[in-house]
Amino acid sequence: MPRQPRAWQRMLSGRRLDLLDPTPVDIEIEDIAHGLAFVARWNGQTEGDFPYSVAEHSLLVEALFSRLCPSATPAARLTALLHDAPEYVIGDMISPVKAAVGPSYGELDKRLSAAIHIRFGLPALTPARLKKQIKKADLVSAWMEATQIAGFTEAEATRFFGRPAPEMIEGLDIHLRPPVEVRRDFTARHAALLECLP
């Protein structure tokens, strides 16, 4: 009989994460922060001396979400911070690749998201309204990234992501930093939000 292909990954924490059946006990924030700090957005096609990581993007999305929903609970903000957390093991696929891969990518993402959420005391499934609000912040982030570091014109970025209101992005800039700094800030923000949970 042929051997079954390996569907788990050994994490730096020592955990063995089964991608087909992930469990909350195998999720560690240090693994997530480390992985996301080394995963490049835009397939690495960005200007600068460092890649723009999913961890940096997640910090920006959480900040934008907090502006969009100033009365949001710490749990909602934590959900925004972790909105792309599964990418610490499955990577960041640009939308055209996700479309080509088909629904199996979405199913894998859902299973990992549920395990991550449960691990940190959040509902396994994000309520539709909250998901929509986080997506709004995500699109604002995408517009900022596209125009500041990914080579899109404002008109082109607006066509794909919509133009954000000026007050949403005022004072916020894209930061390209060493992964170790981003990992530290992501972990610290996660800890601060976790402390505020009931």
Side-chain angles (χ1 to χ4, degrees):
M1 262 177 64
R3 283 176 54 182
Q4 290 280 35
R6 180 171 63 91
W8 56 267
Q9 180 174 349
R10 178 73 63 195
M11 311 310 292
L12 287 178
S13 64
R15 299 286 189 189
R16 190 174 112 160
L17 182 65
D18 185 338
L19 300 183
L20 298 179
D21 187 23
T23 61
V25 295
D26 292 321
I27 307 289
E28 298 292 346
I29 193 57
E30 292 79 10
D31 293 333
I32 293 172
H34 182 82
L36 295 183
F38 283 89
V39 173
R41 297 237 328 140
W42 304 93
N43 276 353
Q45 297 302 304
T46 52
E47 299 169 2
D49 294 330
F50 295 103
Y52 185 71
S53 72
V54 175
E56 193 78 79
H57 162 78
S58 298
L59 287 164
L60 179 59
V61 168
E62 193 262 325
L64 289 163
F65 171 76
S66 296
R67 285 184 175 194
L68 185 67
C69 305
S71 61
T73 65
R77 291 172 195 230
L78 182 58
T79 304
L81 182 71
L82 296 172
H83 78 285
D84 279 340
E87 294 178 8
Y88 86 108
V89 285
I90 59 177
D92 178 42
M93 286 192 198
I94 59 173
S95 297
V97 176
K98 285 180 187 175
V101 170
S104 55
Y105 177 89
E107 289 306 312
L108 180 57
D109 185 87
K110 279 181 195 171
R111 284 194 299 269
L112 283 163
S113 284
I116 290 164
H117 285 185
I118 292 167
R119 169 67 176 87
F120 299 116
L122 301 170
L125 294 174
T126 303
R129 184 169 181 267
L130 176 57
K131 195 169 191 169
K132 191 174 179 181
Q133 291 167 328
I134 293 170
K135 187 61 183 174
K136 267 188 180 177
D138 195 32
L139 289 171
V140 173
S141 178
W143 187 91
M144 291 175 67
E145 295 163 25
T147 57
Q148 292 183 35
I149 58 170
F152 284 57
T153 65
E154 286 196 7
E156 191 176 31
T158 299
R159 188 165 66 248
F160 290 110
F161 310 114
R163 181 181 291 277
E167 62 272 14
M168 273 295 291
I169 61 176
E170 186 180 353
L172 293 176
D173 291 307
I174 300 298
H175 300 285
L176 297 170
R177 303 184 288 157
V180 66
E181 288 181 22
V182 183
R183 180 181 65 198
R184 179 198 63 217
D185 288 355
F186 184 93
T187 306
R189 185 62 184 147
H190 176 270
L193 290 167
L194 210 55
E195 266 185 31
C196 298
L197 293 184

